[in-house]
Amino acid sequence: RKEVEQDPGPFNVPEGATVAFNCTYSNSASQSFFWYRQDCRKEPKLLMSVYSSGNEDGRFTAQLNRASQYISLLIRDSKLSDSATYLCVVNIVGRRALTFGSGTRLQVQP
Amino acid sequence: NAGVTQTPKFRVLKTGQSMTLLCAQDMNHEYMYWYRQDPGMGLRLIHYSVGEGTTAKGEVPDGYNVSRLKKQNFLLGLESAAPSQTSVYFCASSYGRGYEQYFGPGTRLTVT
């Protein structure tokens, strides 16, 4: 079983829609969490960190549920430019590198 | 402030040839990493370094070697390239354990 699991998608949504992705993690020693965005044939880039109380950055909202061991990303008012793969990333205590999920692909259509 | 840079951007090798990929960062980060990414698969950690002069194996280290002689540079070597090493290679750096990682633009390597 993978330590970080994501639905690979693709999620096909119209412009202006609200879309949400979930990510589950299996290691209860996971300590910090991030969402990264990766455009086709480009490097992953940090989208936002995920805080215990949840946090928002413009149209993006991240939530953490430690009891159920999942994090979520909500995108409101989707734009064409939001089309990308979204990577769920977890810091597991004792590990020197972050653990990356395989990503969820989002395609926003006109 | 260039962040993380990688050279070369593209390379084609024949089986058995060797090459070195260079990663440089100007953020004074202690930790540096090398990943490979294959179609349909996530990032897989090859080797990493927690400081100048240190290196350690990641998830898929076989066929690769690394060196970190200077804090700002992290080199990835392929001694005898194989077609299975055809991939996109990303370098990343971070301030320390658990901090966000910043990635370079990647090197696309094809081994024929």
Side-chain angles (χ1 to χ4, degrees), chain A residues 32 34 36 38 40-46 49 87 91-98 100-102, chain B residues 10 31 33 35 37 40-43 45 48 50 90 97-106 108:
Chain A
S32 51
F34 309 90
Y36 276 67
Q38 185 173 23
C40 188
R41 300 175 75 83
K42 299 282 191 180
E43 73 272 25
K45 291 185 177 177
L46 177 68
S49 302
L87 306 176
N91 169 41
I92 299 173
V93 170
R95 303 270 177 92
R96 299 287 180 97
L98 301 177
F100 286 77
S102 297
Chain B
F10 304 91
Y31 285 36
Y33 313 85
Y35 292 89
Q37 188 174 40
M41 298 186 73
L43 292 161
L45 183 65
Y48 64 95
V50 301
F90 288 106
R97 186 189 305 187
Y99 287 83
E100 58 269 27
Q101 294 175 194
Y102 295 88
F103 285 81
R108 296 186 177 278

Side-chain angles (χ1 to χ4, degrees), chain B:
Chain B
N1 188 339
V4 181
T5 58
Q6 292 182 233
T7 52
K9 288 188 170 46
F10 304 91
R11 186 72 188 266
V12 179
L13 287 181
K14 293 191 176 175
T15 298
Q17 287 185 319
S18 63
M19 78 164 293
T20 299
L21 282 65
L22 171 63
C23 175
Q25 53 96 3
D26 61 3
M27 296 177 281
N28 202 33
H29 284 167
E30 288 294 333
Y31 285 36
M32 295 186 76
Y33 313 85
W34 276 107
Y35 292 89
R36 61 177 289 173
Q37 188 174 40
D38 301 297
M41 298 186 73
L43 292 161
R44 291 187 290 169
L45 183 65
I46 304 171
H47 285 280
Y48 64 95
S49 166
V50 301
E52 182 178 312
T54 75
T55 63
K57 293 181 181 179
E59 185 186 348
V60 289
D62 294 341
Y64 305 95
N65 57 74
V66 287
S67 64
R68 182 111 180 258
L69 299 178
K70 293 183 179 180
K71 186 176 182 178
Q72 63 267 35
N73 295 338
F74 195 28
L75 278 62
L76 178 72
L78 285 73
E79 289 185 346
S80 179
S84 61
Q85 293 178 305
T86 293
S87 189
V88 180
Y89 291 85
F90 288 106
C91 175
S93 71
S94 73
Y95 178 74
R97 186 189 305 187
Y99 287 83
E100 58 269 27
Q101 294 175 194
Y102 295 88
F103 285 81
T107 295
R108 296 186 177 278
L109 175 66
T110 301
V111 183
T112 61

Side-chain angles (χ1 to χ4, degrees), chain A residues 4 6 10 25-26 30 40 45 53 61 67 80 83 88 99:
Chain A
V4 179
Q6 296 184 253
Y25 58 94
S26 60
S30 300
C40 188
K45 291 185 177 177
S53 55
T61 301
L80 293 175
S83 297
C88 171
T99 301

Side-chain angles (χ1 to χ4, degrees), chain A:
Chain A
R1 183 187 172 192
K2 291 181 182 177
E3 291 187 297
V4 179
E5 300 231 37
Q6 296 184 253
D7 180 343
F11 284 56
N12 295 304
V13 302
E15 268 187 293
T18 295
V19 61
F21 313 130
N22 279 345
C23 159
T24 58
Y25 58 94
S26 60
N27 194 319
S28 59
S30 300
Q31 197 171 42
S32 51
F33 308 87
F34 309 90
W35 282 103
Y36 276 67
R37 170 196 170 123
Q38 185 173 23
D39 293 295
C40 188
R41 300 175 75 83
K42 299 282 191 180
E43 73 272 25
K45 291 185 177 177
L46 177 68
L47 178 65
M48 58 196 302
S49 302
V50 185
Y51 302 122
S52 296
S53 55
N55 49 298
E56 192 173 298
D57 182 1
R59 297 182 293 109
F60 299 84
T61 301
Q63 297 278 358
L64 167 62
N65 185 318
R66 284 192 186 273
S68 300
Q69 295 188 189
Y70 75 85
I71 68 173
S72 63
L73 177 68
L74 180 81
I75 305 175
R76 289 182 299 278
D77 189 22
S78 299
K79 312 287 185 195
L80 293 175
S81 57
D82 293 334
S83 297
T85 297
Y86 291 83
L87 306 176
C88 171
V89 184
V90 174
N91 169 41
I92 299 173
V93 170
R95 303 270 177 92
R96 299 287 180 97
L98 301 177
T99 301
F100 286 77
S102 297
T104 296
R105 190 166 151 235
L106 170 66
Q107 186 66 45
V108 181
Q109 295 165 337

